[in-house]
Amino acid sequence: ILNVEQSPQSLHVQEGDSTNFTCSFPSSNFYALHWYRWETAKSPEALFVMTLNGDEKKKGRISATLNTKEGYSYLYIKGSQPEDSATYLCAHISGYSTLTFGKGTMLLVSP
Amino acid sequence: GAGVSQSPSNKVTEKGKDVELRCDPISGHTALYWYRQRLGQGLEFLIYFQGNSAPDKSGLPSDRFSAERTGESVSTLTIQRTQQEDSAVYLCASSFGGLAGGAEQFFGPGTRLTVL
């Protein structure tokens, strides 16, 4: 993998469903992986900064895992709510100032 | 405490004109980044400032783009002779320390630039 890829591109779920997204990145030159939540008309908001292989982080109903050896991270949302509707971005940091974003996963949660 | 602020929030300009976008980072943040997102594209890195070090300009798309930062405070991104392909949301972010060290990045609200 040469670039940062996110899947799926978009997702539409019902309130209460649990969901997960994938971020794939080059496994070489790994420094950190960021997850952001970006709501329409707002600034991207950092969810997690992950630096170590095997990292698992949790914030409320949202959690993330990291596998630097195989180059992927998963973001999980348990019991999705309409307010979770946003674009979820991951960013791979491969150098002191080298940061590459994926194109994001757009999540829509219907009541 | 104030977050990252950007001005203007919206800018409409005519092709060929110069524009200047401003970013005020969080006080004390040593690192400052500029990104842009064009329609249908991902976030694209433009330039990075860290303290008094020479900026990393590797993401600037052409020599029409330039940026300055005064010490560890305000930054301005200047686009000369704007083209329609420069239309995008320009985002600024700041962090305390470099991202490679695990620092968290805080984004401003962005400037939406439309070049007619």
Side-chain angles (χ1 to χ4, degrees):
Chain A
I1 294 175
L2 299 178
N3 296 313
V4 179
E5 297 171 1
Q6 290 188 247
S7 61
Q9 187 175 7
S10 63
L11 195 55
H12 185 187
V13 302
Q14 296 298 310
E15 181 175 359
D17 288 349
S18 292
T19 187
N20 65 85
F21 322 133
T22 303
C23 173
S24 301
F25 52 87
S27 54
S28 58
N29 297 327
F30 179 87
Y31 285 80
L33 187 93
H34 292 196
W35 279 102
Y36 294 88
R37 167 195 163 91
W38 194 359
E39 290 182 72
T40 304
K42 294 188 178 179
S43 314
E45 171 197 357
L47 291 173
F48 302 113
V49 175
M50 309 179 81
T51 56
L52 298 175
N53 184 43
D55 252 357
E56 290 188 27
K57 298 213 170 182
K58 186 175 181 182
K59 186 182 289 189
R61 294 179 292 98
I62 304 176
S63 60
T65 61
L66 178 68
N67 184 323
T68 61
K69 295 187 188 305
E70 296 183 36
Y72 65 83
S73 175
Y74 294 138
L75 186 79
Y76 302 91
I77 302 179
K78 184 178 178 182
S80 302
Q81 299 296 308
E83 58 265 32
D84 295 330
S85 298
T87 296
Y88 292 82
L89 292 173
C90 69
H92 171 235
I93 290 77
S94 58
Y96 201 73
S97 59
T98 309
L99 178 150
T100 306
F101 281 90
K103 291 190 176 181
T105 293
M106 189 182 305
L107 174 67
L108 177 62
V109 183
S110 295
Chain B
V4 179
S5 62
Q6 292 186 245
S7 61
S9 55
N10 279 286
K11 176 73 177 177
V12 180
T13 191
E14 293 178 349
K15 178 181 171 181
K17 295 279 179 72
D18 296 352
V19 295
E20 192 171 277
L21 312 180
R22 177 187 169 107
C23 171
D24 282 89
I26 292 172
S27 178
H29 278 193
T30 54
L32 185 146
Y33 314 78
W34 282 98
Y35 302 95
R36 73 174 177 181
Q37 185 177 42
R38 292 185 286 180
L39 193 63
Q41 309 274 325
L43 266 177
E44 180 185 0
F45 165 77
L46 297 177
I47 188 168
Y48 161 71
F49 296 90
Q50 172 65 50
N52 294 319
S53 302
D56 178 350
K57 304 180 183 180
S58 60
L60 294 179
S62 78
D63 59 8
R64 296 185 296 103
F65 286 73
S66 62
E68 292 184 350
R69 187 181 186 194
T70 308
E72 292 186 351
S73 61
V74 171
S75 175
T76 55
L77 177 69
T78 302
I79 309 173
Q80 295 178 306
R81 304 180 303 280
T82 51
Q83 303 294 311
Q84 288 180 331
E85 63 262 27
D86 299 334
S87 296
V89 175
Y90 288 82
L91 286 166
C92 174
S94 69
S95 66
F96 183 69
L99 301 183
E104 182 176 337
Q105 196 172 199
F106 296 83
F107 281 85
T111 294
R112 181 175 295 278
L113 175 66
T114 304
V115 182
L116 301 176

